Amino acid sequence: MEPSPPSPVVPTGRDRFWWIIRSGWRGRCPRCGEGRMFASWLKVVPRCDHCGLDYRFAAPDDGPAFFSLCIIALPLTAFVVWLQVAFEPPAWVHLVTSVPVMTLGTLLPLRPIKGWLVASQYVNRAQEAGTRGLWSDLHGTSGESDFDQ
């Protein structure tokens, strides 16, 4: 199926933040809001199946894990330590409660966080400083912005 031409759906101003949050949470293309962003749990598709956006720009790297650990794991760890100090439960209680809560609490948010980071990279045209020429040479885009595909 031939991808339809890109439609500039990305809002401007204050609505940009909510566009990033919505498209990242739903795992939808940050350009059209319709196509899938993910091929599997955390694997980004190579190209949007609706508008044809090439996801080669997407490089969230370790960002999702970092934010998951800092925002979620640290408070959960504090809770588990408080539980131990306050009630001194046996080890099996932590095995049954704390381990699953920590595991699910850090793994479940990875996909929305990665979606937010990819959408934010697209909406804000984020790329490493001074790499536009190198990126264009590497991917044969002849100097045009990779975000304006």
Side-chain angles (χ1 to χ4, degrees):
M1 179 173 103
E2 184 72 24
S4 60
S7 54
V9 179
V10 180
T12 58
R14 293 178 47 158
D15 293 332
R16 292 172 75 175
F17 173 77
W18 294 111
W19 176 260
I20 291 168
I21 296 298
R22 274 193 311 273
S23 63
W25 181 262
R26 292 175 46 220
R28 297 294 178 196
C29 174
R31 179 164 65 185
C32 67
E34 297 294 326
R36 293 179 306 122
M37 186 186 300
F38 296 102
S40 62
W41 176 246
L42 290 175
K43 183 175 178 165
V44 177
V45 296
R47 184 174 292 280
C48 175
D49 56 0
H50 186 261
C51 71
L53 175 66
D54 187 350
Y55 281 99
R56 287 184 293 189
F57 70 87
D61 301 327
D62 293 333
F66 172 78
F67 288 116
S68 179
L69 290 174
C70 289
I71 296 170
I72 298 159
L74 286 176
L76 286 177
T77 303
F79 174 74
V80 170
V81 169
W82 171 81
L83 182 70
Q84 178 61 36
V85 170
F87 300 107
E88 296 183 24
W92 68 267
V93 172
H94 285 297
L95 190 61
V96 172
T97 60
S98 303
V99 172
V101 166
M102 292 286 284
T103 303
L104 292 175
T106 54
L107 291 179
L108 290 179
L110 286 178
R111 184 176 171 141
I113 292 172
K114 187 169 188 171
W116 294 332
L117 290 174
V118 170
S120 181
Q121 281 181 301
Y122 176 77
V123 169
N124 295 308
R125 308 281 198 249
Q127 64 185 26
E128 285 188 51
T131 61
R132 175 183 259 174
L134 178 61
W135 185 262
S136 296
D137 290 344
L138 182 64
H139 295 290
T141 54
S142 67
E144 76 241 15
S145 172
D146 292 305
F147 296 104
D148 298 329
Q149 320 169 33

